Amino acid sequence: MQRRQFLRGAGATLAVASTAGLAACARQPLLAAPKAGALVSPPSAPSADMLHLAPIRAEPDRITGVYVCTRPFRAAGPRIETRRLGEKTLVHNYGHGGSGWSLSWGSSALALRLAQDTGVRKLGVIGCGALGLTSALLAQRAGLSVRIYAKALPPDVYSMRASGLWTPDSRICDAQHAPDFGARWEDMARTSYAMYQSLLGLPGRPIEWIDGYSLSDTPFDQPHPSKVTDEPDYGDLRGRIRELTPRTVDMPPGSTPFPQPYVHRYTTMMFNISTYARMLMSDFLTAGGKIEVREFDHPRELLKLPERTLINATGYGARALFDDDSIIPVRGQTARLIPQPEVTYAVNTEHVSMVPRSDGLLIQAFGDNGNFNNSDVTPNRAASEAAVRQIAALMSRMRRG
């Protein structure tokens, strides 16, 4: 299931609302930014009880960075299993599509159980992204001595380029495999959700709840033709945890400043990834964890490590390292704008979304073909500037209270 579909929801409900990565969208024709010197129709007068939202300063010159990642999609779902590698035991923990941050604690708990079955007290973890860090921390808390091996550390890992929203079934598997994978997914989602509730209210707000608004010119339950056609039908598993998060709310006409006649309000968890990753790194090192910066080009190089049991959390990197062509890269690009602390809401349309992270407003465009099975990580700044202008056009049409 695509991330924008996840947030937009179906009908009147939304069980969980991005990530990991990217915000949802309702159905709306593409907005064009006003041309210089053009007359803009004045907004209609707001009602007395209209919702007040801080405007987004969506200007291309406020872009502080454009980031591209390759989400590691596997049709059958993440690979969490044990394999022998010479005299070592290798526990795979990769292939989470757009749900890496969302499912990291639950997936790593499953991987740790497999590692503990070997009876070792020293563990090596390969990778320092979302899955590597949570695998290492859980192993520490279980009393193991842990060393992380990684070619890069945060902020220079692909996990840092995710959108930062709770989207536990974003590109997690295809629809064909969803029935067989559902129970395992639910276990991972519930375990991760419980952990995130324990991280609320901490300094730096690593995890927080936010409201978001899906906007559409047509009713949400009507089919819409503008769908990305080169991606598979993803598994829709959110119904299994529907009671965990608030439902979407249909906003009455005129109750929001948005010009679209159909507005859904949803509530979702957001990860302020810069703060969150720094916290995870600090917790790991404070508890005595070790990190060795090292790149592996072939599995036989792992045989030289001192630990007898290893957790492989290399994400998309596992495709090359283990020659695993079941991993399909799904390209994703985001742009980050200068932070606006007063903007505390997310917004998404058919074509663009904004996530209000504390390290910058994250802008992403939707609807393009060519991202599935695309490993190109070259940023396209022009595309991000166009997405920012879409947000600017929306802001120009908003009613002011």
Side-chain angles (χ1 to χ4, degrees):
M1 179 177 184
Q2 298 186 38
R3 192 176 299 253
R4 62 185 180 277
Q5 293 172 315
F6 181 87
L7 289 180
R8 182 175 185 267
T13 63
L14 179 68
V16 282
S18 54
T19 214
L22 305 167
C25 65
R27 306 302 185 184
Q28 171 187 322
L30 190 66
L31 296 173
K35 296 181 179 179
L39 295 177
V40 178
S41 300
S44 57
S47 63
D49 57 352
M50 187 185 72
L51 179 71
H52 297 286
L53 298 173
I56 301 165
R57 296 184 61 185
E59 302 153 17
D61 62 359
R62 290 175 63 83
I63 295 176
T64 61
V66 177
Y67 307 92
V68 179
C69 68
T70 46
R71 291 160 287 196
F73 166 70
R74 295 183 76 243
R79 189 178 184 187
I80 310 170
E81 61 188 30
T82 299
R83 286 290 182 268
R84 294 295 297 175
L85 182 65
E87 296 181 352
K88 296 186 183 298
T89 299
L90 185 65
V91 179
H92 289 305
N93 186 19
Y94 66 82
H96 295 72
S99 304
W101 285 108
S102 297
L103 294 178
S104 57
W105 292 103
S107 180
S108 295
L110 295 179
L112 176 60
R113 291 174 204 161
L114 296 176
Q116 287 176 304
D117 288 343
T118 67
V120 298
R121 304 302 300 170
K122 294 184 178 181
L123 179 71
V125 174
I126 316 301
C128 199
L131 278 299
L133 284 169
T134 51
S135 294
L137 280 165
L138 288 175
Q140 279 185 329
R141 295 171 188 178
L144 278 64
S145 174
V146 185
R147 184 185 300 268
I148 291 176
Y149 300 90
K151 69 175 182 179
L153 307 178
D156 300 318
V157 297
Y158 279 152
S159 293
M160 299 295 293
R161 302 178 185 182
S163 65
L165 290 182
W166 161 258
T167 54
D169 71 345
S170 173
R171 294 181 172 89
I172 193 63
C173 67
D174 65 16
Q176 177 182 348
H177 290 88
D180 293 334
F181 179 61
R184 194 177 214 193
W185 174 87
E186 181 178 350
D187 182 24
M188 292 190 290
R190 290 184 181 276
T191 298
S192 298
Y193 179 87
M195 178 63 77
Y196 286 126
Q197 300 318 293
S198 74
L199 300 177
L200 293 168
L202 296 180
R205 307 195 322 273
I207 312 296
E208 61 181 318
W209 285 93
I210 62 167
D211 283 343
Y213 299 90
S214 293
L215 315 177
S216 179
D217 282 333
T218 59
F220 287 100
D221 57 358
Q222 287 187 4
H224 198 279
S226 60
K227 178 182 181 294
V228 175
T229 58
D230 64 343
E231 297 193 31
D233 290 328
Y234 295 108
D236 183 357
L237 301 169
R238 60 189 176 179
R240 301 181 70 105
I241 57 170
R242 191 172 301 279
E243 83 286 358
L244 290 184
T245 54
R247 306 289 182 93
T248 54
V249 175
D250 289 317
M251 301 298 289
S255 65
T256 77
F258 301 112
Q260 288 80 3
Y262 301 97
V263 179
H264 273 175
R265 186 187 71 218
Y266 58 87
T267 303
T268 184
M269 280 190 294
M270 180 178 70
F271 314 135
N272 287 307
I273 293 180
S274 294
T275 301
Y276 181 41
R278 185 179 294 269
M279 182 196 77
L280 297 180
M281 286 280 287
S282 177
D283 286 354
F284 175 70
L285 294 172
T286 299
K290 306 296 182 182
I291 296 178
E292 183 175 325
V293 177
R294 184 170 176 177
E295 185 171 2
F296 301 98
D297 296 317
H298 193 279
R300 63 174 171 265
E301 298 174 38
L302 301 177
L303 296 174
K304 301 176 183 178
L305 300 180
E307 295 85 5
R308 288 171 43 213
T309 298
L310 305 170
I311 290 181
N312 167 39
T314 51
Y316 179 66
R319 179 183 171 98
L321 180 58
F322 293 95
D323 195 26
D324 185 353
D325 59 6
S326 72
I327 301 177
I328 305 298
V330 184
R331 186 183 187 277
Q333 176 171 303
T334 59
R336 195 178 300 173
L337 301 181
I338 294 172
Q340 281 187 255
E342 72 277 15
V343 176
T344 59
Y345 62 95
V347 65
N348 54 84
T349 72
E350 163 68 17
H351 298 283
V352 68
S353 75
M354 185 281 298
V355 179
R357 281 179 18 193
S358 62
D359 58 352
L361 305 185
L362 213 68
I363 308 295
Q364 184 192 20
F366 293 134
D368 294 332
N369 289 308
N371 288 322
F372 190 76
N373 203 13
N374 183 352
S375 60
D376 182 9
V377 293
T378 305
N380 182 346
R381 185 178 176 92
S384 286
E385 289 186 357
V388 170
R389 291 190 181 97
Q390 296 299 305
I391 296 293
L394 174 63
M395 293 295 103
S396 73
R397 296 174 59 196
M398 284 178 61
R399 294 169 291 179
R400 307 299 177 199

